Amino acid sequence: MATIHVDGKAYEVDGADNLLHACLSLGLDIPYFCWHPAMGSVGACRQCAVKQYKDKDDTQGKLVMSCMTPATDDSWIAIDDEEAKAFRENVIEWLMTYHPHDCPVCEEGGHCHLQDMTVMTDHDRRRYRFRKRTHRNQYLGPFIAHEMNRCINCYRCVRFYDDYAGGKDLGVFGMNNNLYFGRHREGTLESPFSGNLTEVCPTGVFTDQTHSDHYTRKWDLQFAPSICHQCAMGCNISPGERYGEIRRIENRYHGELNRYFLCDRGRFGYGYVNRADRPRQPEWRNEREDETVTLEVDPALDRGADLLRSAKRMIGIGSPRASLESNHQLIKLVGRENFSTGIAARELACLEHMAELERSCGLPIPTLREVEEHDAVLVLGEDLIQSAARLALSVRQAVLGRRDALADERGIPQWNAEAVKILAQDARHPLYIAYPAATQLDGIAADSRRLAPQDIARLGFAIANAIDGNSPRVDDLDEALKEIVDTVAGRLMAAEKPLVISGGSLESTQILDAAGNIARALSRRAKRAGLMLVRREANSTGLAMLGGQPLEWALDEVADGRADALVVLENDLYARLPEARVDAALSKADRLVVLDHQRTRTWQQALLGLPAASFAEADGTLVNMEGRAQRFFQVYDPRYLRPECRIHESWRWLHTLRASLRRDTDSAVTLDDMTEACARDYPALAEILVASRGSDYRVRGVKLARAPHRYSGRTSMRANLSVSEPRAPQDPDTAFAFSMEGYSGFDRPRKEVPFAWAPGWNSPQAWNKFTDEVGGHLRAGDPGARLVTPRPGSYAYASDIPTAFMPDRDSWQVLVLPRLFGGEENSSRSTPIGDRAASPSLGLSREDAKRLGVEEGASLTLELEDARLTLPLRCDEQLPSGIVSVPAGVSSEFVNGERGRLKVLDTAAAVEEVR
């Protein structure tokens, strides 16, 4: 700790920080541009000048850049010094020389860091009267819009994109004050984290293209604290709504999880919420007349209750993309013995296996923040960019953490970003990857091996044996694998905090067992190690904690006549199992009730469809893959602008349907009731009650505001319906108000912050006002509650070691590989995600392609006993021979590990086209 004196007052700060970081953490305002809490200092903008004195008797002082000056003990500085203030005002005038006067039309207006800093420095007059430099903008893909003329040369974009996120296609060109930040040629930004440029950029150079299509100022958006539903990471987000549509998603700060950054699927995959073809009213399918009619809520519930009341047995199919409360209410409706998780057997087996490993291996599950502190990482059977992109970004920071260690050895402060980078060059902590195909982390890996799932498992078992000889030995390893086994085991043992990452992407319990053996071996050696296991969907972890049968069991119960009614919760069965198997079951279901917010193929088969709320219209609880229960809140009431809507949360539909079935007269229920019931029935979930505050929470006697205090146009939004403004929708479920009326400040610490705003801070940099220190944790604590606590290590090593993979001449092992864009059910319905997704193809090693006599782009048909898929060939230089890869989201007919045959179509024409 250090004592610094700012404008005559003494403060205790962390002496390892620079003055800018220290002052901002104290709540003092200093303008800045190039500095960023996650990326350190480069001193490019000169905006953060303060006056520094030698001691308390010095009256002369000198101007220093606070971002490049350490907060040493007994420092004396002045922020309000007249010379410092004049310097800062002049600097921003220089930076604004070429900046256009386009705030009224700029998409950054209203949440612009440049606007905030301009006001903070009192710069309000332009003296520059000459011709302005202009640039030609680039097309950067469906996510990011480009307006280079607004650039102030802060370098934040390239520092994030290249140095922090590892991008290769964004650069800075030119010299002096004539710089251009963009691609070497026009085209889509390739990084899966490109969307963060919209918040990293302090001006309007990089803006949200999906927001541009239906633009609204930030102060006219309605927000709520929410959780990303596009993967199992559980990143915190702030969705913004206007006119009953989600207009954009911003990062919501969480000190242990996403902190300042999101992946592009989480930021831009919300389009399915706004689809015009969504079901918005209950639908009843008249089978005799082959027509569908819409119903009001009460008739729909009556028909649903009559259907289920007359059934001999009903089965409930849950969903890992639905909340705990919704799945629990389905269990209450059908009974635990009649509940299926809605997850296919192979995936469910992996989820159950992962849950047991996390409890028994003796190693903690690190948070994303803690992942960045590990100094050796082994990844078995996961392409993290595709299956858990935000985790991949943290793994990258862990690997680059070697820079900080080297800087500490030489007394260079970690915040001095450019000095640290130059010192480290290519020095990195070791990262080892074993996966069938190339990954985007290979470029920073010490070693990456392309192996079949069986061989990945064998490699993991061998590493565990090398760490602890009590674990099973793997015989007949080839020399190349023996060498890497010794290397990886040695580096894991030499590390202070090794990390093992695996997951269910390849649906191999043997790979999980191998990862578990390594974890047990490290635990026995008393290492401060960590184990992280990747799941696929938003609530996969929570649903596994509820328990239930696999999806195949539910379909068999119906197909074999043991049940005749199905209730399906937010789950498209056709996306999980082969079409023929689903059809066989649904044809036998005399009573099919489906709740969903999308018009899926399963919905189309329903006798009764009940329109469920998406994450933007619902409240509920999810459990992410680190075992953290988190609450998401309703952003808007869909009925306010669309009175014909009858959309409700799934848990509300199911509770009321159960009440109708039992002929209960009182069916009123709140979110707090549902959460308490779930916690009561499942003791392992008891902590979900403290994941967030209840609906009775108030600040100064008022609810929390969902909208900024400048929110406007509320009356005019409904002018097409009525010129008289109705009462704002009432929310009995949460502590939030559907309006700007309520508390939205930062001085009362709370976890539930819907949007970042503080006086003078309208941009995303306002999150600094809500944290205990810049880059730290929210002052009230980070949202959520951890549910999973490892038991003391159980050293009963798994011994099911598979035999080595042997290619077959006439068949190929099928691997369904995850993909970030297009591989997830809901986000793939978003147009920008579809535009960003690569065209589906079948991956094959060049050796196998040559043996088949085909070249890149040729049409190949993959055939199983009762399924076939035709796609262009993509020659994968590193894919093991004997394996064919299928992209996730293309077909549910294929599962990992099956054997299929390949048939060549129009080979000659395809080869000629490639040439």
Short mmCIF file of all heavy atoms in Angstrom, two decimals, residues 602-651:
data_model
loop_
_atom_site.label_atom_id
_atom_site.label_comp_id
_atom_site.label_asym_id
_atom_site.label_seq_id
_atom_site.Cartn_x
_atom_site.Cartn_y
_atom_site.Cartn_z
N THR A 602 -40.71 -28.90 -33.64
CA THR A 602 -41.49 -29.53 -32.58
C THR A 602 -42.76 -28.74 -32.31
O THR A 602 -43.84 -29.32 -32.12
CB THR A 602 -40.65 -29.65 -31.30
OG1 THR A 602 -39.43 -30.34 -31.59
CG2 THR A 602 -41.40 -30.38 -30.22
N TRP A 603 -42.67 -27.42 -32.31
CA TRP A 603 -43.86 -26.58 -32.15
C TRP A 603 -44.89 -26.87 -33.23
O TRP A 603 -46.09 -26.93 -32.98
CB TRP A 603 -43.44 -25.10 -32.16
CG TRP A 603 -44.60 -24.13 -32.17
CD1 TRP A 603 -45.37 -23.77 -33.23
CD2 TRP A 603 -45.12 -23.41 -31.05
NE1 TRP A 603 -46.34 -22.87 -32.85
CE2 TRP A 603 -46.21 -22.63 -31.52
CE3 TRP A 603 -44.77 -23.33 -29.70
CZ2 TRP A 603 -46.94 -21.79 -30.69
CZ3 TRP A 603 -45.49 -22.49 -28.87
CH2 TRP A 603 -46.57 -21.74 -29.35
N GLN A 604 -44.43 -27.06 -34.46
CA GLN A 604 -45.34 -27.30 -35.58
C GLN A 604 -46.14 -28.59 -35.39
O GLN A 604 -47.23 -28.74 -35.96
CB GLN A 604 -44.56 -27.38 -36.90
CG GLN A 604 -43.73 -26.14 -37.23
CD GLN A 604 -44.57 -24.97 -37.68
OE1 GLN A 604 -45.80 -25.05 -37.71
NE2 GLN A 604 -43.94 -23.85 -38.01
N GLN A 605 -45.62 -29.52 -34.59
CA GLN A 605 -46.32 -30.79 -34.36
C GLN A 605 -47.29 -30.72 -33.19
O GLN A 605 -48.07 -31.65 -32.97
CB GLN A 605 -45.29 -31.90 -34.06
CG GLN A 605 -44.25 -32.11 -35.15
CD GLN A 605 -44.86 -32.67 -36.42
OE1 GLN A 605 -45.75 -33.52 -36.36
NE2 GLN A 605 -44.40 -32.20 -37.57
N ALA A 606 -47.25 -29.61 -32.41
CA ALA A 606 -48.00 -29.55 -31.16
C ALA A 606 -49.50 -29.46 -31.40
O ALA A 606 -49.97 -28.80 -32.34
CB ALA A 606 -47.54 -28.37 -30.34
N LEU A 607 -50.25 -30.11 -30.53
CA LEU A 607 -51.70 -29.93 -30.52
C LEU A 607 -52.04 -28.60 -29.85
O LEU A 607 -52.93 -27.87 -30.28
CB LEU A 607 -52.36 -31.09 -29.77
CG LEU A 607 -53.87 -31.25 -29.92
CD1 LEU A 607 -54.25 -31.43 -31.39
CD2 LEU A 607 -54.35 -32.44 -29.09
N LEU A 608 -51.26 -28.28 -28.79
CA LEU A 608 -51.41 -26.99 -28.12
C LEU A 608 -50.03 -26.37 -27.96
O LEU A 608 -49.12 -26.99 -27.40
CB LEU A 608 -52.06 -27.16 -26.74
CG LEU A 608 -52.15 -25.89 -25.88
CD1 LEU A 608 -53.07 -24.86 -26.54
CD2 LEU A 608 -52.64 -26.23 -24.48
N GLY A 609 -49.88 -25.15 -28.48
CA GLY A 609 -48.63 -24.42 -28.32
C GLY A 609 -48.84 -23.20 -27.44
O GLY A 609 -49.75 -22.41 -27.65
N LEU A 610 -47.99 -23.05 -26.43
CA LEU A 610 -48.07 -21.92 -25.50
C LEU A 610 -46.85 -21.04 -25.71
O LEU A 610 -45.71 -21.52 -25.58
CB LEU A 610 -48.13 -22.41 -24.06
CG LEU A 610 -49.31 -23.32 -23.72
CD1 LEU A 610 -49.21 -23.82 -22.28
CD2 LEU A 610 -50.64 -22.61 -23.94
N PRO A 611 -47.04 -19.75 -26.04
CA PRO A 611 -45.91 -18.87 -26.39
C PRO A 611 -45.10 -18.49 -25.15
O PRO A 611 -45.57 -17.76 -24.28
CB PRO A 611 -46.60 -17.65 -27.00
CG PRO A 611 -47.95 -17.62 -26.39
CD PRO A 611 -48.34 -19.06 -26.16
N ALA A 612 -43.90 -19.00 -25.08
CA ALA A 612 -43.02 -18.75 -23.93
C ALA A 612 -42.24 -17.46 -24.14
O ALA A 612 -42.02 -17.01 -25.27
CB ALA A 612 -42.07 -19.92 -23.72
N ALA A 613 -41.81 -16.88 -23.06
CA ALA A 613 -40.99 -15.68 -23.12
C ALA A 613 -39.54 -16.06 -23.37
O ALA A 613 -39.04 -17.06 -22.84
CB ALA A 613 -41.10 -14.91 -21.80
N SER A 614 -38.87 -15.28 -24.18
CA SER A 614 -37.42 -15.43 -24.34
C SER A 614 -36.73 -14.83 -23.13
O SER A 614 -37.38 -14.28 -22.23
CB SER A 614 -36.96 -14.72 -25.61
OG SER A 614 -37.08 -13.32 -25.45
N PHE A 615 -35.40 -14.89 -23.11
CA PHE A 615 -34.67 -14.33 -21.97
C PHE A 615 -34.97 -12.85 -21.78
O PHE A 615 -34.89 -12.32 -20.66
CB PHE A 615 -33.16 -14.54 -22.15
CG PHE A 615 -32.51 -13.59 -23.12
CD1 PHE A 615 -31.95 -12.39 -22.68
CD2 PHE A 615 -32.46 -13.86 -24.48
CE1 PHE A 615 -31.36 -11.50 -23.56
CE2 PHE A 615 -31.88 -12.99 -25.37
CZ PHE A 615 -31.32 -11.80 -24.91
N ALA A 616 -35.32 -12.15 -22.86
CA ALA A 616 -35.56 -10.71 -22.78
C ALA A 616 -36.91 -10.39 -22.15
O ALA A 616 -37.12 -9.26 -21.71
CB ALA A 616 -35.47 -10.09 -24.17
N GLU A 617 -37.81 -11.36 -22.11
CA GLU A 617 -39.16 -11.12 -21.59
C GLU A 617 -39.45 -11.92 -20.33
O GLU A 617 -40.59 -11.98 -19.87
CB GLU A 617 -40.19 -11.51 -22.66
CG GLU A 617 -40.03 -10.76 -23.96
CD GLU A 617 -40.09 -11.66 -25.19
OE1 GLU A 617 -40.04 -12.89 -25.03
OE2 GLU A 617 -40.16 -11.11 -26.29
N ALA A 618 -38.41 -12.54 -19.78
CA ALA A 618 -38.61 -13.46 -18.66
C ALA A 618 -37.62 -13.20 -17.54
O ALA A 618 -36.60 -12.54 -17.72
CB ALA A 618 -38.47 -14.91 -19.15
N ASP A 619 -37.96 -13.72 -16.37
CA ASP A 619 -37.05 -13.76 -15.23
C ASP A 619 -36.76 -15.23 -14.92
O ASP A 619 -37.61 -16.10 -15.14
CB ASP A 619 -37.69 -13.13 -13.98
CG ASP A 619 -38.29 -11.76 -14.28
OD1 ASP A 619 -37.52 -10.84 -14.55
OD2 ASP A 619 -39.54 -11.64 -14.22
N GLY A 620 -35.59 -15.48 -14.39
CA GLY A 620 -35.28 -16.85 -14.02
C GLY A 620 -33.84 -16.99 -13.57
O GLY A 620 -33.09 -16.00 -13.47
N THR A 621 -33.44 -18.22 -13.29
CA THR A 621 -32.11 -18.51 -12.77
C THR A 621 -31.43 -19.56 -13.65
O THR A 621 -32.06 -20.55 -14.04
CB THR A 621 -32.19 -19.04 -11.33
OG1 THR A 621 -32.94 -18.13 -10.53
CG2 THR A 621 -30.80 -19.20 -10.73
N LEU A 622 -30.17 -19.32 -13.96
CA LEU A 622 -29.33 -20.27 -14.68
C LEU A 622 -28.13 -20.63 -13.83
O LEU A 622 -27.72 -19.86 -12.95
CB LEU A 622 -28.83 -19.66 -16.00
CG LEU A 622 -29.86 -19.15 -17.01
CD1 LEU A 622 -29.15 -18.50 -18.19
CD2 LEU A 622 -30.75 -20.27 -17.50
N VAL A 623 -27.54 -21.78 -14.10
CA VAL A 623 -26.30 -22.19 -13.44
C VAL A 623 -25.25 -22.37 -14.54
O VAL A 623 -25.43 -23.20 -15.43
CB VAL A 623 -26.46 -23.48 -12.63
CG1 VAL A 623 -25.15 -23.82 -11.91
CG2 VAL A 623 -27.59 -23.35 -11.62
N ASN A 624 -24.19 -21.60 -14.48
CA ASN A 624 -23.18 -21.69 -15.54
C ASN A 624 -22.22 -22.84 -15.26
O ASN A 624 -22.34 -23.56 -14.28
CB ASN A 624 -22.45 -20.36 -15.70
CG ASN A 624 -21.46 -20.09 -14.58
OD1 ASN A 624 -21.45 -20.76 -13.54
ND2 ASN A 624 -20.60 -19.11 -14.78
N MET A 625 -21.22 -22.98 -16.13
CA MET A 625 -20.39 -24.18 -16.06
C MET A 625 -19.38 -24.13 -14.92
O MET A 625 -18.72 -25.14 -14.64
CB MET A 625 -19.68 -24.43 -17.39
CG MET A 625 -18.64 -23.44 -17.78
SD MET A 625 -18.12 -23.80 -19.47
CE MET A 625 -16.63 -22.81 -19.57
N GLU A 626 -19.23 -23.02 -14.23
CA GLU A 626 -18.41 -23.00 -13.01
C GLU A 626 -19.27 -23.23 -11.78
O GLU A 626 -18.79 -23.10 -10.65
CB GLU A 626 -17.66 -21.67 -12.89
CG GLU A 626 -18.55 -20.47 -12.95
CD GLU A 626 -17.94 -19.23 -12.30
OE1 GLU A 626 -16.83 -19.31 -11.78
OE2 GLU A 626 -18.61 -18.20 -12.31
N GLY A 627 -20.59 -23.54 -11.99
CA GLY A 627 -21.48 -23.81 -10.88
C GLY A 627 -22.01 -22.56 -10.21
O GLY A 627 -22.43 -22.62 -9.05
N ARG A 628 -22.07 -21.44 -10.93
CA ARG A 628 -22.56 -20.19 -10.37
C ARG A 628 -24.02 -19.98 -10.78
O ARG A 628 -24.33 -19.87 -11.97
CB ARG A 628 -21.71 -19.01 -10.85
CG ARG A 628 -22.10 -17.67 -10.22
CD ARG A 628 -21.32 -16.53 -10.87
NE ARG A 628 -19.90 -16.70 -10.70
CZ ARG A 628 -19.19 -16.23 -9.68
NH1 ARG A 628 -19.79 -15.54 -8.74
NH2 ARG A 628 -17.89 -16.43 -9.61
N ALA A 629 -24.92 -19.92 -9.81
CA ALA A 629 -26.32 -19.61 -10.09
C ALA A 629 -26.45 -18.10 -10.26
O ALA A 629 -26.00 -17.33 -9.41
CB ALA A 629 -27.20 -20.09 -8.95
N GLN A 630 -27.07 -17.68 -11.37
CA GLN A 630 -27.23 -16.26 -11.66
C GLN A 630 -28.66 -15.98 -12.13
O GLN A 630 -29.23 -16.78 -12.87
CB GLN A 630 -26.25 -15.81 -12.74
CG GLN A 630 -24.79 -15.96 -12.35
CD GLN A 630 -23.86 -15.39 -13.40
OE1 GLN A 630 -23.34 -14.31 -13.27
NE2 GLN A 630 -23.67 -16.14 -14.46
N ARG A 631 -29.18 -14.84 -11.73
CA ARG A 631 -30.52 -14.44 -12.09
C ARG A 631 -30.51 -13.55 -13.33
O ARG A 631 -29.66 -12.68 -13.47
CB ARG A 631 -31.14 -13.68 -10.91
CG ARG A 631 -32.63 -13.45 -10.96
CD ARG A 631 -33.43 -14.68 -10.57
NE ARG A 631 -32.91 -15.42 -9.44
CZ ARG A 631 -33.09 -15.09 -8.17
NH1 ARG A 631 -33.81 -14.03 -7.85
NH2 ARG A 631 -32.60 -15.83 -7.20
N PHE A 632 -31.43 -13.79 -14.25
CA PHE A 632 -31.64 -12.86 -15.35
C PHE A 632 -33.04 -12.26 -15.20
O PHE A 632 -33.94 -12.89 -14.67
CB PHE A 632 -31.47 -13.54 -16.72
CG PHE A 632 -32.43 -14.65 -17.01
CD1 PHE A 632 -33.60 -14.42 -17.72
CD2 PHE A 632 -32.15 -15.95 -16.59
CE1 PHE A 632 -34.49 -15.46 -17.99
CE2 PHE A 632 -33.03 -17.00 -16.86
CZ PHE A 632 -34.20 -16.75 -17.55
N PHE A 633 -33.18 -11.02 -15.66
CA PHE A 633 -34.40 -10.26 -15.41
C PHE A 633 -35.06 -9.82 -16.71
O PHE A 633 -34.38 -9.57 -17.71
CB PHE A 633 -34.09 -9.03 -14.54
CG PHE A 633 -33.60 -9.36 -13.16
CD1 PHE A 633 -32.24 -9.48 -12.90
CD2 PHE A 633 -34.50 -9.56 -12.13
CE1 PHE A 633 -31.78 -9.80 -11.64
CE2 PHE A 633 -34.04 -9.88 -10.85
CZ PHE A 633 -32.69 -10.00 -10.60
N GLN A 634 -36.35 -9.70 -16.64
CA GLN A 634 -37.16 -9.29 -17.79
C GLN A 634 -36.76 -7.87 -18.22
O GLN A 634 -36.72 -6.96 -17.41
CB GLN A 634 -38.63 -9.34 -17.40
CG GLN A 634 -39.61 -9.04 -18.51
CD GLN A 634 -41.06 -9.19 -18.05
OE1 GLN A 634 -41.30 -9.49 -16.89
NE2 GLN A 634 -41.99 -8.96 -18.95
N VAL A 635 -36.50 -7.71 -19.51
CA VAL A 635 -36.11 -6.40 -20.02
C VAL A 635 -37.34 -5.54 -20.28
O VAL A 635 -37.34 -4.34 -20.01
CB VAL A 635 -35.27 -6.55 -21.31
CG1 VAL A 635 -34.81 -5.19 -21.81
CG2 VAL A 635 -34.07 -7.47 -21.07
N TYR A 636 -38.38 -6.13 -20.83
CA TYR A 636 -39.59 -5.36 -21.17
C TYR A 636 -40.81 -6.26 -21.12
O TYR A 636 -40.71 -7.49 -21.17
CB TYR A 636 -39.45 -4.73 -22.56
CG TYR A 636 -39.34 -5.75 -23.69
CD1 TYR A 636 -40.45 -6.09 -24.45
CD2 TYR A 636 -38.13 -6.36 -24.00
CE1 TYR A 636 -40.36 -7.01 -25.49
CE2 TYR A 636 -38.02 -7.28 -25.02
CZ TYR A 636 -39.14 -7.60 -25.76
OH TYR A 636 -39.04 -8.53 -26.78
N ASP A 637 -41.97 -5.61 -21.01
CA ASP A 637 -43.24 -6.32 -21.04
C ASP A 637 -43.75 -6.32 -22.48
O ASP A 637 -44.07 -5.27 -23.03
CB ASP A 637 -44.25 -5.61 -20.15
CG ASP A 637 -45.58 -6.35 -20.05
OD1 ASP A 637 -45.83 -7.23 -20.90
OD2 ASP A 637 -46.37 -6.03 -19.15
N PRO A 638 -43.81 -7.49 -23.14
CA PRO A 638 -44.18 -7.51 -24.57
C PRO A 638 -45.60 -7.03 -24.84
O PRO A 638 -45.92 -6.63 -25.95
CB PRO A 638 -44.00 -8.99 -24.95
CG PRO A 638 -44.11 -9.73 -23.67
CD PRO A 638 -43.54 -8.83 -22.62
N ARG A 639 -46.45 -7.04 -23.83
CA ARG A 639 -47.85 -6.63 -24.03
C ARG A 639 -48.04 -5.12 -24.02
O ARG A 639 -49.10 -4.62 -24.40
CB ARG A 639 -48.73 -7.28 -22.96
CG ARG A 639 -48.89 -8.78 -23.13
CD ARG A 639 -49.37 -9.43 -21.87
NE ARG A 639 -48.35 -9.32 -20.81
CZ ARG A 639 -48.48 -9.87 -19.60
NH1 ARG A 639 -49.54 -10.56 -19.30
NH2 ARG A 639 -47.52 -9.73 -18.70
N TYR A 640 -47.03 -4.37 -23.58
CA TYR A 640 -47.19 -2.93 -23.47
C TYR A 640 -47.34 -2.29 -24.85
O TYR A 640 -48.17 -1.40 -25.05
CB TYR A 640 -45.99 -2.34 -22.74
CG TYR A 640 -46.10 -0.85 -22.48
CD1 TYR A 640 -47.06 -0.36 -21.61
CD2 TYR A 640 -45.24 0.04 -23.10
CE1 TYR A 640 -47.17 1.00 -21.36
CE2 TYR A 640 -45.34 1.41 -22.85
CZ TYR A 640 -46.31 1.88 -21.99
OH TYR A 640 -46.42 3.23 -21.75
N LEU A 641 -46.55 -2.75 -25.81
CA LEU A 641 -46.62 -2.20 -27.17
C LEU A 641 -47.35 -3.12 -28.13
O LEU A 641 -47.73 -2.69 -29.22
CB LEU A 641 -45.21 -1.92 -27.69
CG LEU A 641 -44.49 -0.77 -26.98
CD1 LEU A 641 -43.02 -0.75 -27.31
CD2 LEU A 641 -45.12 0.56 -27.33
N ARG A 642 -47.53 -4.38 -27.73
CA ARG A 642 -48.30 -5.32 -28.54
C ARG A 642 -49.36 -5.94 -27.64
O ARG A 642 -49.20 -7.05 -27.12
CB ARG A 642 -47.39 -6.41 -29.11
CG ARG A 642 -46.35 -5.92 -30.12
CD ARG A 642 -45.65 -7.12 -30.75
NE ARG A 642 -44.69 -6.73 -31.76
CZ ARG A 642 -43.39 -6.54 -31.54
NH1 ARG A 642 -42.91 -6.72 -30.31
NH2 ARG A 642 -42.56 -6.18 -32.51
N PRO A 643 -50.48 -5.23 -27.45
CA PRO A 643 -51.50 -5.73 -26.51
C PRO A 643 -52.05 -7.09 -26.87
O PRO A 643 -52.59 -7.80 -26.01
CB PRO A 643 -52.60 -4.66 -26.60
CG PRO A 643 -51.91 -3.43 -27.08
CD PRO A 643 -50.82 -3.91 -28.01
N GLU A 644 -51.90 -7.49 -28.15
CA GLU A 644 -52.42 -8.80 -28.56
C GLU A 644 -51.54 -9.94 -28.08
O GLU A 644 -51.93 -11.12 -28.13
CB GLU A 644 -52.56 -8.85 -30.08
CG GLU A 644 -51.25 -8.96 -30.86
CD GLU A 644 -50.51 -7.63 -31.03
OE1 GLU A 644 -50.99 -6.61 -30.47
OE2 GLU A 644 -49.48 -7.61 -31.71
N CYS A 645 -50.31 -9.64 -27.61
CA CYS A 645 -49.39 -10.68 -27.16
C CYS A 645 -49.93 -11.40 -25.93
O CYS A 645 -50.51 -10.78 -25.04
CB CYS A 645 -48.03 -10.09 -26.83
SG CYS A 645 -46.95 -9.87 -28.24
N ARG A 646 -49.69 -12.68 -25.88
CA ARG A 646 -50.02 -13.47 -24.70
C ARG A 646 -48.79 -14.28 -24.28
O ARG A 646 -48.89 -15.43 -23.88
CB ARG A 646 -51.21 -14.40 -24.99
CG ARG A 646 -52.50 -13.68 -25.34
CD ARG A 646 -53.01 -12.84 -24.17
NE ARG A 646 -54.25 -12.14 -24.49
CZ ARG A 646 -54.31 -10.89 -24.93
NH1 ARG A 646 -53.19 -10.19 -25.13
NH2 ARG A 646 -55.47 -10.32 -25.19
N ILE A 647 -47.64 -13.63 -24.39
CA ILE A 647 -46.38 -14.27 -24.04
C ILE A 647 -46.20 -14.23 -22.52
O ILE A 647 -46.39 -13.19 -21.89
CB ILE A 647 -45.20 -13.56 -24.74
CG1 ILE A 647 -45.25 -13.80 -26.25
CG2 ILE A 647 -43.87 -14.03 -24.17
CD1 ILE A 647 -44.22 -13.01 -27.03
N HIS A 648 -45.81 -15.37 -21.94
CA HIS A 648 -45.55 -15.44 -20.51
C HIS A 648 -44.32 -16.33 -20.28
O HIS A 648 -43.95 -17.15 -21.13
CB HIS A 648 -46.73 -16.04 -19.74
CG HIS A 648 -47.95 -15.18 -19.77
ND1 HIS A 648 -48.08 -14.03 -19.02
CD2 HIS A 648 -49.11 -15.31 -20.46
CE1 HIS A 648 -49.26 -13.48 -19.24
NE2 HIS A 648 -49.91 -14.23 -20.12
N GLU A 649 -43.71 -16.17 -19.11
CA GLU A 649 -42.60 -17.06 -18.75
C GLU A 649 -43.09 -18.50 -18.71
O GLU A 649 -44.23 -18.78 -18.32
CB GLU A 649 -42.04 -16.69 -17.37
CG GLU A 649 -41.46 -15.30 -17.27
CD GLU A 649 -42.45 -14.29 -16.71
OE1 GLU A 649 -43.68 -14.53 -16.87
OE2 GLU A 649 -42.02 -13.28 -16.14
N SER A 650 -42.22 -19.41 -19.10
CA SER A 650 -42.60 -20.83 -19.11
C SER A 650 -43.03 -21.30 -17.73
O SER A 650 -43.97 -22.09 -17.59
CB SER A 650 -41.44 -21.68 -19.63
OG SER A 650 -41.21 -21.45 -21.00
N TRP A 651 -42.30 -20.82 -16.68
CA TRP A 651 -42.67 -21.28 -15.34
C TRP A 651 -44.06 -20.79 -14.95
O TRP A 651 -44.77 -21.47 -14.22
CB TRP A 651 -41.64 -20.87 -14.29
CG TRP A 651 -41.23 -19.42 -14.25
CD1 TRP A 651 -40.12 -18.88 -14.82
CD2 TRP A 651 -41.91 -18.34 -13.60
NE1 TRP A 651 -40.05 -17.52 -14.55
CE2 TRP A 651 -41.14 -17.16 -13.81
CE3 TRP A 651 -43.09 -18.24 -12.86
CZ2 TRP A 651 -41.51 -15.91 -13.31
CZ3 TRP A 651 -43.47 -17.00 -12.35
CH2 TRP A 651 -42.70 -15.86 -12.58
#
